[in-house]
Amino acid sequence: MSLPQKQYYLSEDQSRRKFIYNFTKTAAVTALLTSPLAGRASGFFNIKADFTVGQIMDLFINKVPGAPLNPTVDTLKSGSRDIKVTGIVTTMFATIEVINKAIALGANFIIAHEPTFYNHQDETAWLAGDDVYSYKADLLKQHHIAVWRNHDHIHRLNPDGVRMGLLKQLNWESYYDASVSEVLTLPDASLSALIQHLKQKLSISQVRYIGNPNQICKKILLMPGASGGTRQIQAMGKYKPDVLICGEIQEWETAEYVRDAQAKGDKLSLIVLGHIASEEPGSEFMAGWLKENVPGIKTTHIPANNSLSFL
């Protein structure tokens, strides 16, 4: 009789054991697993997890193939790895507005996708004496807030976390093909209908585009963020899409290539979403990942929204 009971107990506890396995690097869980009470671990779920900034960073980084990456821009922009996390905010940009909202939530760890201090490497020597930089840096220091940029690692996740967040928001997950991740084959739709779908799903008031609104678009080249003109043009030449949907462009590069392609007679269109609109879903993906893997700490996604307005 004892053997069936033991098998039943293990089956019932399977999800709990999987959860514990994911956190074996933390001292608290190590203690739990080595305790004589490990078999009654259900009480662990009623206790708020006690994690440091560094432990949460490492938890995600360890899921990325080839990580930790070096060199990388994914470093702490404020705070330290030793801060005990009271709450997490994910966002595209750790703006002053986002920081104040994090303070109001009692969160002391912000995971941003893009720079905090106005340049790719977050170098600050050139900002010495600048009032805006000083105000923001002092605000973070005053409230003991850690800011970690998760850019390189989330893009290296398999599959790319930013891309999957965007596909989910667009309801295009079923069209994803890992063998050619940038290309989607959608049901036939006009360029105009495609633009309306993008605006609705991503809450964009306006987009920039090149093309005939009545053109049928089926083969989509999706390149969120700022891939750069060279990559965008090479990808268009390789995959021959009906339309490139991207985050942002250098206007003298990609847009001019598409204009010349149309003059040549190619049915090639372009939709420019804006950098933030195209990659903000990646921060929502990160929030979902944290809620699943660090459920003991409250995680909130706060959109950075577009810094630019349209007339």
Side-chain angles (χ1 to χ4, degrees):
M1 296 295 292
S2 60
L3 183 58
Q5 288 178 352
K6 183 177 181 181
Q7 290 175 331
Y8 174 76
Y9 175 80
L10 289 172
S11 176
E12 183 181 47
D13 206 34
Q14 184 179 10
S15 62
R16 183 186 308 116
R17 289 173 179 264
K18 182 179 179 181
F19 174 85
I20 293 173
Y21 175 79
N22 289 333
F23 296 98
T24 53
K25 290 192 176 184
T26 66
V29 175
T30 301
L32 177 64
L33 292 175
T34 57
S35 167
L37 300 178
R40 295 197 293 271
S42 59
F44 178 75
F45 291 96
N46 298 321
I47 302 173
K48 183 175 180 180
D50 187 14
F51 288 98
T52 65
V53 164
Q55 287 171 332
I56 293 175
M57 290 170 58
D58 291 343
L59 188 64
F60 185 84
I61 289 170
N62 289 337
K63 298 293 184 182
V64 178
L69 304 176
N70 186 30
T72 180
V73 295
D74 294 0
T75 58
L76 283 172
K77 312 307 177 182
S78 71
S80 75
R81 289 175 53 90
D82 298 327
I83 293 175
K84 288 188 176 181
V85 178
T86 59
I88 307 171
V89 162
T90 66
T91 189
M92 264 288 283
F93 286 92
T95 66
I96 289 175
E97 181 180 7
V98 168
I99 294 167
N100 283 325
K101 288 180 178 179
I103 293 168
L105 288 169
N108 65 350
F109 186 22
I110 298 175
I111 300 178
H113 184 62
E114 296 295 3
T116 299
F117 296 119
Y118 324 117
N119 66 101
H120 186 57
Q121 300 292 340
D122 278 296
E123 295 170 341
T124 58
W126 66 283
L127 290 167
D130 182 88
D131 291 345
V132 175
Y133 160 71
S134 297
Y135 180 91
K136 189 175 193 177
D138 290 346
L139 182 65
L140 290 167
K141 184 180 294 186
Q142 177 185 351
H143 292 275
H144 308 288
I145 294 175
V147 176
W148 175 46
R149 184 179 181 190
N150 184 6
H151 179 274
D152 299 346
H153 286 87
I154 194 171
H155 276 305
R156 293 285 188 91
L157 197 65
N158 189 18
D160 183 322
V162 174
R163 180 174 300 278
M164 298 313 294
L166 178 59
L167 291 176
K168 180 178 181 180
Q169 193 154 329
L170 293 173
N171 293 331
W172 287 355
E173 291 171 288
S174 62
Y175 303 113
Y176 175 75
D177 183 351
S179 66
V180 55
S181 61
E182 294 179 329
V183 178
L184 307 171
T185 302
L186 305 181
D188 289 358
S190 69
L191 179 63
S192 177
L194 185 58
I195 289 173
Q196 291 306 313
H197 178 81
L198 293 165
K199 289 168 65 175
Q200 178 187 5
K201 292 298 184 180
L202 300 178
S203 300
I204 305 173
S205 60
Q206 293 176 311
V207 301
R208 295 185 295 168
Y209 77 97
I210 297 174
N212 180 348
N214 296 319
Q215 177 197 335
I216 297 301
C217 297
K218 184 174 183 178
K219 190 174 185 180
I220 312 298
L221 178 60
L222 184 64
M223 303 181 76
S227 302
T230 300
R231 278 195 60 210
Q232 291 167 345
I233 291 168
Q234 288 178 335
M236 285 186 284
K238 177 180 179 180
Y239 296 115
K240 306 297 183 184
D242 297 317
V243 59
L244 164 64
I245 301 173
C246 63
E248 65 175 83
I249 61 171
Q250 299 279 21
E251 292 185 24
W252 65 87
E253 297 174 346
T254 304
E256 293 307 312
Y257 178 87
V258 173
R259 177 154 62 173
D260 280 347
Q262 291 205 334
K264 170 179 170 289
D266 294 346
K267 292 184 178 179
L268 173 63
S269 295
L270 170 68
I271 301 173
V272 183
L273 302 173
H275 194 125
I276 296 175
S278 74
E279 289 202 314
E280 187 77 68
S283 293
E284 292 194 59
F285 170 92
M286 187 65 198
W289 190 93
L290 289 163
K291 288 174 182 178
E292 180 179 349
N293 291 275
V294 195
I297 297 178
K298 182 179 179 181
T299 297
T300 305
H301 171 66
I302 300 179
N305 297 320
N306 199 331
S307 55
L308 303 172
S309 299
F310 300 88
L311 288 176

